[in-house]
Amino acid sequence: MTTQELNNKAGVPKAEENTKCSGNYARCIGITLIPLAILCFLADIVLYFPNGETKFAERDQLTSVVWFFEGIGGGGILMIFPIVVFIGFGNDNIYGHCRTRIYGKSRVVLTVVMVSLIGMAGAGYCFNVSLLGLLKGPYCLTDLGWNYPFNSTSGRYLTDLTTWSQCREPSHIVAWNVTLFSILLALSGLQLALIVAHVIIGLATGTLGNCCHRKEMKTTITTLMREDVYNYGKFQKWLQKQSLDIILQESQPQTMRIVG
């Protein structure tokens, strides 16, 4: 009798259904974070070259917010940690479902919590700095010289396009900054939402990993033993194949009595 037939006999969900928990969500989220991190990185770099020109960066004639490296550091580099762990977390060859003992599971959970916090910190930093960049406005040349003409408007200039002409140089700098900071704001907001969603999913399922519920599997073991489906040797091999070494140790005395 095959493992799947035994599973069906005992009422165990199919393997594909059992593995659709937070490990798979983590992998999907990690893969989704890759293009978001790349776009954040690129959008931040483009901020340094208005209209593709390098002279303003060389003269330090850019808004001071760009030097906070919100997209490069916060939305880009710091996202490497959750990306690597989340993708690996959904890979059975690295963590797997029910393939860690108690100490291993705790270590995995701690790792995911730490990288989730790092990811949320990076995305939150990028989001806040981008919002600051939008509210502060660009640093540009006006009739009064180089200054921040929209710094005191509390962001009202964003809806009043007639005021954008105050900036003479760099040309179209207001639209340039508004577009790129808005992109960074949206990307980092999406990053933050994805990571928070992963944490919530992990808490809702009672684990941050791709592990089975022990109570459910104990019920399965009890059902199999009551029906005397196979002898202890085959039963032990099946449990080992299901990576339930801990439950096997707990169930071994009762199993021996039933088989014997």
Side-chain angles (χ1 to χ4, degrees), residues 57-109:
E58 295 172 352
R59 300 172 186 172
D60 195 18
Q61 294 175 335
L62 300 173
T63 175
S64 59
V65 178
V66 300
W67 304 111
F68 292 171
F69 304 107
E70 65 283 355
I72 296 175
I77 295 176
L78 288 182
M79 284 298 122
I80 295 176
F81 298 99
I83 287 172
V84 172
V85 173
F86 287 177
I87 292 178
F89 204 50
N91 190 340
D92 290 342
N93 294 327
I94 297 180
Y95 296 103
H97 52 284
C98 300
R99 294 186 181 180
T100 56
R101 298 183 183 273
I102 295 299
Y103 68 88
K105 178 180 176 181
S106 300
R107 185 169 53 195
V108 169
V109 171

Side-chain angles (χ1 to χ4, degrees), residues 228-246:
D228 195 17
V229 177
Y230 35 62
N231 60 38
Y232 177 70
K234 292 183 179 180
F235 184 57
Q236 185 181 31
K237 290 180 181 179
W238 180 80
L239 288 174
Q240 290 174 345
K241 190 173 182 180
Q242 298 298 319
S243 305
L244 296 175
D245 298 324
I246 297 175

Side-chain angles (χ1 to χ4, degrees), residues 185-207:
L185 193 70
L187 293 174
S188 58
L190 186 54
Q191 288 175 333
L192 187 60
L194 288 172
I195 297 174
V196 171
H198 173 251
V199 173
I200 294 175
I201 292 172
L203 295 176
T205 55
T207 176

